[in-house]
């Protein structure tokens, strides 16, 4: 099963970092149909063929996702879109 792991450093307060992750989640929902739910400082997301999480830490954002075989060809595109959005919001 293909996977994505991205760790992005930041220097924001947790509340601000979490608000920015909400923007990433909104984009993932819009573009890929992923639904998310917060548990503490972890946003879990899923849809058929994709599960993962975005953890908001004091100094970093940690994104992990597992893709089903049907989405394997899109791994690069999905990872690129997540990296682009994280760079835009946490630069």
């Amino acid at each position: 099963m293909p996977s994505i792991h991205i760790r992005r450093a930041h220097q924001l307060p947790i509340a601000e970092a979490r608000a920015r992750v909400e923007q990433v989640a909104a984009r993932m929902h819009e573009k890929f149909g992923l639904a998310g739910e917060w548990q503490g400082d972890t946003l879990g997301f899923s849809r058929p063929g994709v599960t993962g999480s975005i953890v908001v830490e004091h100094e970093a954002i940690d994104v992990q996702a597992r893709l089903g075989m049907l989405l394997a060809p899109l791994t690069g595109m999905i990872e690129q879109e997540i990296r682009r959005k994280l760079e835009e919001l946490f630069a």
Side-chain angles (χ1 to χ4, degrees), residues 36-49:
E37 183 177 322
W38 286 99
Q39 290 186 346
D41 289 327
T42 300
L43 177 67
F45 57 85
S46 65
R47 68 159 259 185

Side-chain angles (χ1 to χ4, degrees), residues 2 67-78:
L67 307 177
M69 296 312 289
L70 292 175
L71 293 175
L74 301 177
T75 302
M77 182 182 79
I78 294 169

Side-chain angles (χ1 to χ4, degrees), residues 2-89:
S3 64
I4 295 171
H5 183 227
I6 303 168
R7 188 165 178 84
R8 175 69 167 87
H10 72 82
Q11 297 180 358
L12 301 170
I14 287 283
E16 178 64 24
R18 189 175 161 142
R20 293 184 186 195
V21 166
E22 282 285 347
Q23 293 178 20
V24 172
R27 178 68 176 157
M28 289 173 23
H29 178 72
E30 173 187 307
K31 189 149 182 130
F32 305 112
L34 294 171
E37 183 177 322
W38 286 99
Q39 290 186 346
D41 289 327
T42 300
L43 177 67
F45 57 85
S46 65
R47 68 159 259 185
V50 180
T51 60
S53 63
I54 303 174
V55 180
V56 179
E57 300 173 354
H58 287 284
E59 297 177 354
I61 302 297
D62 192 77
V63 180
Q64 294 193 37
R66 290 172 305 285
L67 307 177
M69 296 312 289
L70 292 175
L71 293 175
L74 301 177
T75 302
M77 182 182 79
I78 294 169
E79 183 171 357
Q80 181 180 15
E81 181 68 17
I82 294 169
R83 284 185 187 279
R84 186 189 69 72
K85 198 64 176 173
L86 287 174
E87 184 61 32
E88 176 184 311
L89 295 171

